[in-house]
Amino acid sequence: MQAATTSGTRTSLSTTGGQRPQASLAALLRMEHMKLRARPMTKILLGIATLGTVLFMSLAYVAVRASSYDSDAARQADIRELLMPNALNDGMQIISLLAGILITVLAASIAGSEFGWGTIRTLVGTGQSRTNIVLAKIIAVVQYSIAFTLAGVAAIIVTSYGVALIGGHDISSDWMTMTFVNDFAQAFGRLTFLVFLSGAMAFSIALLTRSLAAGIAIGIGWGVVESIVVALLGTINTTGDKIAQALTTPNVNAIMDRIRFTASDANEVGASGGVNELQAFGVLTLYIVVPLVIATIVFRRRDITSGA
């Protein structure tokens, strides 16, 4: 007789009384990691996050060097914006856009692909807690939001130093102070939150609609449509502005306005429409939690094992 074996996240389905055991949340999370590592798309998206940021920063440097300026001092001023620590200011704007799109694709696939492949029926059919299944998947989205943000930031730093070495510009570490470390930690946290916002919304949509395509399309299209709506509301009156403040775009801008490393930049209102940061975090948290709760409730009640 061949002995039964267990490894990694695999659990035995034979139990006393005919009941199948439920895997722990940690085991389900390990399973999500295993599936994501096995998908080529995960590595491709992380590669795009890194190389895409390098490409944007490199092209910006080439454009500055190739452009004509009234004085060399003006050119050097623009070049300094591409060197550390200034490179993080515009670089993090790039990460917000690029990583936001990439995590949308990955998060939608984490939920939607399971329905397309039919693997969700197998997973639910083993008696696993549906709530834990959702929790494991959304935790994976959080972790990959951090990974995408970290990859982008690393790409900015490496590219900035590469530009400095190739262009013969001065390299200094005087900016590396505890104040900068504190500012950087806060900026990284804000940026990761915004990246996760995109991922969480796409995940909830894909889970609710059982569609990878819907998660990606609505997740990406939401920001485009909202930008148009916010612009139109701004032409109405103060009521239009108040309505706009309940949407994601002004609140995202309010947080992005704070991702700066100088006092003057940090105090700019920018495109946030006067929304304060605390309000922005509150509104955006609702955009994360409410769709996720609705999608989870529907997922818990939906008849999946019969294919309905």
Side-chain angles (χ1 to χ4, degrees), residues 2-296:
Q2 186 177 3
T5 60
T6 59
S7 61
T9 59
R10 189 181 304 169
T11 58
S12 172
L13 297 181
S14 59
T15 60
T16 58
Q19 268 194 328
R20 293 171 174 174
Q22 290 188 358
S24 66
L25 178 60
L28 290 171
L29 182 57
R30 287 194 296 271
M31 183 176 66
E32 288 300 322
H33 288 164
M34 180 184 66
K35 289 187 289 187
L36 287 169
R37 286 195 299 268
R39 296 178 190 174
M41 182 180 68
T42 305
K43 301 178 182 66
I44 292 172
L45 292 176
L46 280 170
I48 293 174
T50 304
L51 298 179
T53 305
V54 170
L55 180 62
F56 275 118
M57 297 293 291
S58 300
L59 289 176
Y61 178 73
V62 171
V64 170
R65 293 300 298 261
S67 299
S68 57
Y69 284 81
D70 294 334
S71 66
D72 186 62
R75 185 193 306 276
Q76 293 302 319
D78 281 349
I79 289 177
R80 282 194 295 273
E81 291 301 312
L82 299 174
L83 304 178
M84 289 294 293
N86 297 332
L88 290 171
N89 286 331
D90 292 333
M92 285 193 167
Q93 306 286 328
I94 296 172
I95 296 173
S96 175
L97 175 63
L98 184 59
I101 294 174
L102 296 175
I103 196 64
T104 294
V105 175
L106 184 65
S109 74
I110 289 175
S113 293
E114 297 271 16
F115 290 98
W117 296 333
T119 51
I120 193 68
R121 293 176 61 188
T122 304
L123 181 59
V124 171
T126 61
Q128 304 305 322
S129 165
R130 296 194 185 194
T131 300
N132 280 352
I133 291 173
V134 174
L135 282 175
K137 290 179 179 296
I138 200 64
I139 290 173
V141 174
V142 172
Q143 293 173 331
Y144 274 88
S145 296
I146 297 172
F148 280 127
T149 306
L150 189 59
V153 170
I156 291 172
I157 296 173
V158 171
T159 305
S160 177
Y161 278 112
V163 163
L165 289 172
I166 294 172
H169 306 291
D170 293 335
I171 298 178
S172 172
S173 59
D174 294 342
W175 49 268
M176 183 59 76
T177 63
M178 287 306 300
T179 299
F180 171 81
V181 171
N182 179 63
D183 291 344
F184 176 79
Q186 292 185 38
F188 186 87
R190 292 183 177 106
L191 185 57
T192 302
F193 175 81
L194 294 180
V195 172
F196 173 64
L197 168 68
S198 300
M201 292 179 65
F203 174 85
S204 298
I205 293 166
L207 183 64
L208 186 62
T209 62
R210 296 182 288 183
S211 170
L212 165 63
I216 295 175
I218 298 176
I220 295 176
W222 181 280
V224 176
V225 173
E226 243 203 25
S227 297
I228 298 173
V229 172
V230 169
L232 292 175
L233 288 172
T235 63
I236 302 176
N237 49 36
T238 55
T239 302
D241 290 335
K242 292 183 181 299
I243 295 174
Q245 289 181 7
L247 302 177
T248 61
T249 301
N251 292 286
V252 167
N253 290 336
I255 295 176
M256 286 302 302
D257 287 342
R258 301 293 300 181
I259 301 180
R260 291 290 186 269
F261 296 94
T262 63
S264 59
D265 286 338
N267 290 328
E268 290 180 358
V269 174
S272 64
V275 177
N276 66 67
E277 188 179 26
L278 184 60
Q279 175 187 337
F281 272 110
V283 171
L284 295 179
T285 298
L286 288 177
Y287 273 93
I288 293 172
V289 174
V290 173
L292 183 59
V293 169
I294 293 173
T296 302

